[in-house]
Amino acid sequence: MIVLRWVFAAVLAVAAIYLAVMGGRLLSLGGSAYYLLVGVAYLLAAWWMAKQDRRSAYVVFGVLAVTILWSFVEVGTEYWGWLPRLLAPLGFAIAAALMFTSVKERTGKVMLGLAVIGVVGFAGFLARGFMNVPYVSASSDNEFVIPEVDNEPLNWTAYSRDTMGTRYSPFTQINRDNVQNLELAWTYETGRDTSNGNLVDQNTPMQIGNTLYSCTPENVVHAINATTGEGLWTFDPDAEAIAWQRCRGLGYYEMTQADLDEAADQIDAAAQGDDADAPTDDADTQGTLVTTQAPDLCQRRIVGNTVDGRLYQLDATTGELCTGFGDGGMVNLREGMFEYGAEYYYQTSAPLVAGDKIVVGGWISDNQSLDEPSGAIRAFDVITGELIWAFDPGNPDQSDAPAENETYVLGTPNMWTHAAYDPELDMIYAPMGNAGTDYWNANRPEASEPFNAALVALDGATGQVQWSFQHVHHDLWDYDLPSQPALLDMQNDAGEMVPALVLLTKRGEIFTFDRRDGTPITEIEERPVPTNGSVEGNIVAETQPYSVGMPNLTGEPLTAARAWGMTMFDQLTCRISYEQNRHDGEFTPPGLDWSLTFPGPGGGFNWGSASYDPVNRLLFVNDMRMTYEKRLMERPEYEEVTETRVATPDGHGLAPMTGTPYGTELRQWNSPLGVPCMQPPFGTVTAIDLDDREIAWQMPSGTATELGPLGTKLGLPLTMGMPGYAGTSVTAGGIVFFAGTQDYFLRGYDAETGEELLKLPLPAGGSATPMTYISPENGKEYVLLSVGGAAYSPVTADYVMAFTLPDAE
């Protein structure tokens, strides 16, 4: 026992010196004195332990008692706040008790008893970390309804099933009573390159009849039999590889009878002019689905876009280009968008088929140049590919193409994510991003300023602005709007159901509007925000809008007490870092010193968007809660830094902001162990009751199974909730499906309570939104998911996987 006491004394002394030195540093920065005092106490305990003095154990017990009290004062009863604070002191207390146990003397027996209690308590405390405990438990008194439906097939024709952005499937075959029985029906392999972790599969396939249409990050389209998983055809546009390859979805258009009649008229006119050009009934003629159809038209059209800036259409049956669209089936989306910097502009989100038009925006690399490509949104004729109108944020009164050798206004806010479309109002709702340089706003085109980080409602026929709402004034934080708006019906304060729009933001704010005219449904309040700390030239708004009538999903504000780490030791480094960084809340202006940004540029909410149950009026969202460190660098320092480091092509790390006085650097706020310095949860899945305008339930989104310190994989399914992209979808059967976590599971939540009813293992993560459909061939309901890899995960795959219930015996 003497040797063990010496060993324990040495371990305790090392911990004590670390805590005392680093704790003294924290105190000198204005932080908590706890760590310094604990370091001194442990140093005394180590001395007495080396002397074989039982008072050592009493000191260690005293530190544990003080830690429990201190933890309660700092974080209340929040389990994840207690975890790093309690593990080491409790472990040291157990070890100290064991050093003086004895079955012969009374004090030794007491020590043994304390050690046993400590071990049981330690085990119980750790066990809580593996339990899927709600952050908000379901408590609504509203009756949850499973509607009567016919379970007839219904096509999934757009990124979110239709253009309304709600991802709701009116099917009940798979429901709360049987979802746990889901099993793999089939797997389709796209054969794409899985060695490049940057080629992230984020695709939600479409389903038209018995055919699925899926796209890979390289923009290769696969047509798949929806019942059997058999491949039908593929189309490869030979897209030029760039740094940020994505394909989140496709669009669909089916020619109406009016379209066909017009095509027949064109055929007659062509026949009168040149009989040789008349149409035939030749079955080999590409696109010939009806005998009166022109050879270069397709009746059913798959609409896609590419990462190298092209818009195209395919015959849904054959996979051949619809050559009557654009130039041989393609439209050049880069025309008129930039003078240089082709690598800055490309498409990652699905094109929007809005009636007889195709509406597209574009992703523009962040923080590359002051004169980055234009953020213009354009509408093209769905049959011919001709430009119908353009919304140029820098010149909103100009709706046609720029003159030859000219461009739309450069350096304007863009729409990189998905728009929504209301066919009854013929209105398009575009979530806008920032002008190219996120952290420098002095040179933004004046006319575009109202549309920066704003929701813009456009007339579908003309592209003219009908109303808009800017959720961040003079944005300096990369708080662009990432989510597709959800178009639904919602009660206003007068109790009337009105056509509504629900807007999700990176700030975790949820804004609601009457989508007809932009009148807020829930209250919005302008509040004062910090203005100090930015560089000269930046415009810093004195107030920002807050949605006070809806829940905010960023959780508690970032404070020193919420600095985290896996242990008290790396938590201490995070608290030092907190004191060294400048932080005045979510609108801390960027400056030449390091500052903290929370919520970060990833959100809050991101492109996964919301799903909505219209029967029970529940909105389902998933969010991320990650903190970033950020600074600006004067040009000479930036040039010096880039002599040894390479700027990131997406602008989310080290980036030049060419044309401005500064470069910029952004990084996740992590401990030396690579663990986030922000207290969990890092992500949640949440249901919001739109009648009560309150959280109905909230669950952690996934576990840390695939993660660990220093990039290791510990395999510990700690239920702290992980940051994840993609989104949820919901069915009439009362199931919310989600797979965008960093562990490898498809989950099904009870839409009423949030209970995890399904946890289906996957071969890799799924950074894509699940969808559901009924097979017209066998009448069974399927859940479909692109399984290509989770965010920040080294494991990638090329699977499209379908799940269904087993056949009844």
Side-chain angles (χ1 to χ4, degrees):
M1 186 63 73
I2 293 176
V3 174
L4 287 178
R5 288 173 184 168
W6 269 101
V7 171
F8 181 58
V11 171
L12 200 59
V14 171
I17 293 171
Y18 177 87
L19 291 171
V21 172
M22 299 296 285
R25 186 179 179 191
L26 175 63
L27 184 61
S28 70
L29 294 169
S32 172
Y34 164 82
Y35 297 92
L36 172 60
L37 296 176
V38 168
V40 172
Y42 278 161
L43 200 58
L44 177 61
W47 172 258
W48 274 333
M49 183 65 67
K51 293 289 189 179
Q52 314 296 308
D53 193 323
R54 190 175 286 145
R55 285 179 293 179
S56 171
Y58 300 150
V59 172
V60 174
F61 296 159
V63 168
L64 176 61
V66 169
T67 298
I68 291 173
L69 178 62
W70 173 72
S71 299
F72 183 79
V73 170
E74 283 217 315
V75 295
T77 58
E78 294 181 60
Y79 173 79
W80 296 111
W82 280 70
L83 184 70
R85 291 170 167 84
L86 197 59
L87 286 184
L90 181 54
F92 285 150
I94 294 170
L98 289 172
M99 294 299 104
F100 296 99
T101 57
S102 171
V103 294
K104 296 181 179 180
E105 57 174 331
R106 182 171 179 272
T107 304
K109 292 179 181 179
V110 171
M111 289 290 186
L112 179 60
L114 290 175
V116 171
I117 293 172
V119 169
V120 172
F122 192 90
F125 181 72
L126 273 184
R128 162 59 183 82
F130 299 93
M131 299 176 184
N132 207 30
V133 178
Y135 291 114
V136 178
S137 298
S139 59
S140 175
D141 296 329
N142 299 333
E143 180 183 0
F144 190 85
V145 176
I146 301 293
E148 294 286 338
V149 298
D150 57 18
N151 282 311
E152 289 297 315
L154 177 67
N155 289 341
W156 188 293
T157 60
Y159 170 67
S160 59
R161 191 180 70 77
D162 55 21
T163 61
M164 304 291 277
T166 60
R167 297 162 188 81
Y168 173 74
S169 296
F171 309 135
T172 58
Q173 283 187 20
I174 299 171
N175 54 56
R176 298 185 293 178
D177 295 329
N178 61 24
V179 67
Q180 71 276 4
N181 298 325
L182 276 186
E183 61 183 23
L184 181 65
W186 52 259
T187 298
Y188 177 86
E189 297 182 38
T190 65
R192 74 176 186 87
D193 178 14
T194 59
S195 63
N196 186 347
N198 190 45
L199 304 184
V200 179
D201 188 349
Q202 299 175 339
N203 169 59
T204 299
M206 293 191 305
Q207 169 257 328
I208 312 296
N210 197 40
T211 305
L212 298 164
Y213 299 93
S214 181
C215 60
T216 71
E218 299 90 344
N219 299 121
V220 178
V221 179
H222 294 256
I224 309 166
N225 184 294
T227 306
T228 67
E230 176 189 2
L232 303 176
W233 54 256
T234 61
F235 169 78
D236 187 349
D238 293 321
E240 180 184 354
I242 47 85
W244 192 258
Q245 293 184 232
R246 303 287 189 274
C247 182
R248 297 193 180 104
L250 301 163
Y252 177 74
Y253 182 77
E254 187 165 342
M255 292 180 69
T256 65
Q257 188 59 49
D259 293 330
L260 296 172
D261 291 343
E262 183 179 349
D265 292 341
Q266 292 174 353
I267 291 171
D268 291 340
Q272 293 173 8
D274 186 353
D275 290 341
D277 294 333
T280 71
D281 292 344
D282 185 355
D284 292 331
T285 300
Q286 186 265 323
T288 304
L289 302 177
V290 291
T291 57
T292 58
Q293 187 177 347
D296 59 352
L297 288 178
C298 312
Q299 184 177 359
R300 300 185 307 120
R301 299 164 175 242
I302 303 302
V303 183
N305 48 32
T306 66
V307 292
D308 58 1
R310 289 175 289 158
L311 178 68
Y312 63 87
Q313 285 191 355
L314 305 176
D315 185 307
T317 302
T318 67
E320 298 293 326
L321 284 167
C322 298
T323 56
F325 179 80
D327 182 7
M330 297 275 184
V331 171
N332 179 11
L333 294 177
R334 290 179 168 178
E335 186 174 333
M337 299 303 288
F338 50 81
E339 294 174 344
Y340 62 91
E343 70 276 14
Y344 297 166
Y345 175 82
Y346 35 93
Q347 276 61 42
T348 57
S349 296
L352 172 71
V353 178
D356 59 358
K357 301 174 185 66
I358 304 170
V359 179
V360 293
W363 198 90
I364 298 174
S365 296
D366 292 53
N367 300 310
Q368 302 300 317
S369 170
L370 196 62
D371 292 326
E372 288 193 1
S374 173
I377 298 172
R378 290 167 291 173
F380 299 90
D381 185 281
V382 75
I383 302 296
T384 67
E386 294 180 31
L387 179 69
I388 303 299
W389 54 255
F391 165 61
D392 182 351
N395 187 9
D397 295 329
Q398 180 71 28
S399 61
D400 54 6
E404 187 176 355
N405 297 323
E406 294 186 6
T407 68
Y408 298 101
V409 178
L410 303 179
T412 54
N414 64 314
M415 182 189 74
W416 61 266
T417 189
H418 299 89
Y421 173 64
D422 184 336
E424 291 189 8
L425 297 176
D426 191 24
M427 202 172 294
I428 295 156
Y429 303 94
M432 303 298 289
N434 274 329
T437 53
D438 292 318
Y439 312 126
W440 173 262
N441 63 17
N443 300 101
R444 290 172 181 167
E446 183 176 355
S448 73
E449 178 57 31
F451 308 118
N452 203 82
L455 188 282
V456 182
L458 303 173
D459 181 85
T462 66
Q464 294 297 303
V465 177
Q466 302 302 293
W467 60 268
S468 66
F469 168 75
Q470 187 175 63
H471 90 107
V472 176
H473 309 316
H474 302 296
D475 187 10
L476 287 168
W477 302 271
D478 194 12
Y479 284 157
D480 51 338
L481 288 172
S483 300
Q484 182 182 36
L487 309 184
L488 45 87
D489 293 335
M490 184 176 175
Q491 286 185 354
N492 61 18
D493 287 339
E496 305 168 324
M497 295 296 292
V498 298
L501 179 148
V502 177
L503 180 67
L504 308 182
T505 75
K506 286 184 177 180
R507 297 168 52 203
E509 296 279 343
I510 304 174
F511 297 91
T512 64
F513 305 92
D514 185 319
R515 66 177 181 267
R516 295 170 294 188
D517 57 14
T519 302
I521 295 176
T522 49
E523 184 181 357
I524 300 172
E525 180 181 287
E526 288 281 339
R527 294 178 179 174
V529 294
T531 58
N532 297 325
S534 188
V535 293
E536 184 179 354
N538 265 339
I539 305 168
V540 184
E542 295 184 355
T543 66
Q544 296 288 357
Y546 284 80
S547 176
V548 297
M550 291 289 287
N552 180 291
L553 265 69
T554 55
E556 295 293 326
L558 179 61
T559 63
R562 297 187 68 80
W564 203 67
M566 286 296 293
T567 68
M568 68 187 302
F569 304 105
D570 60 320
Q571 182 185 43
L572 173 53
T573 64
C574 287
R575 294 191 76 144
I576 291 172
S577 176
Y578 178 88
E579 299 296 342
Q580 291 174 327
N581 278 283
R582 180 167 47 88
H583 182 66
D584 299 314
E586 65 177 312
F587 288 110
T588 301
L592 295 174
D593 55 342
W594 285 102
S595 61
L596 294 178
T597 298
F598 175 76
F605 304 115
N606 210 284
W607 56 265
S609 312
S611 59
Y612 177 65
D613 177 350
V615 176
N616 296 286
R617 293 197 287 279
L618 290 171
L619 187 78
F620 303 98
V621 296
N622 54 285
D623 69 282
M624 295 185 288
R625 304 179 187 185
M626 300 296 290
T627 305
Y628 289 78
E629 294 178 289
K630 176 174 57 186
R631 67 166 178 154
L632 299 177
M633 288 174 278
E634 292 180 331
R635 187 60 56 192
E637 181 186 2
Y638 178 82
E639 299 299 337
E640 182 179 346
V641 168
T642 53
E643 289 179 2
T644 56
R645 295 169 54 196
V646 178
T648 53
D650 60 8
H652 293 158
L654 189 65
M657 298 205 301
T658 302
T660 78
Y662 305 99
T664 183
E665 185 173 9
L666 181 78
R667 65 193 184 196
Q668 287 190 7
W669 188 41
N670 290 338
S671 80
L673 297 180
V675 174
C677 279
M678 173 73 184
Q679 180 178 310
F682 305 134
T684 68
V685 177
T686 304
I688 299 170
D689 188 318
L690 289 188
D691 287 346
D692 297 339
R693 304 174 184 178
E694 294 179 349
I695 293 177
W697 53 259
Q698 186 174 79
M699 298 293 293
S701 59
T703 68
T705 304
E706 301 295 326
L707 304 174
L710 301 175
T712 61
K713 175 183 172 181
L714 295 182
L716 298 176
L718 295 167
T719 58
M720 59 184 63
M722 293 287 105
Y725 292 93
T728 60
S729 63
V730 62
T731 72
I735 304 297
V736 179
F737 289 106
F738 181 59
T741 59
Q742 289 180 294
D743 55 1
Y744 306 158
F745 295 95
L746 170 64
R747 287 179 168 85
Y749 299 91
D750 186 320
E752 180 181 14
T753 66
E755 180 185 356
E756 191 177 279
L757 302 177
L758 173 73
K759 187 178 178 183
L760 200 63
L762 301 171
S767 289
T769 301
M771 55 88 74
T772 55
Y773 61 92
I774 299 286
S775 164
E777 185 173 295
N778 62 17
K780 295 184 65 175
E781 182 178 352
Y782 291 80
V783 181
L784 189 82
L785 178 68
S786 292
V787 181
Y792 311 110
S793 170
V795 180
T796 56
D798 67 336
Y799 306 131
V800 178
M801 304 180 73
F803 305 90
T804 192
L805 295 172
D807 293 328
E809 296 182 358

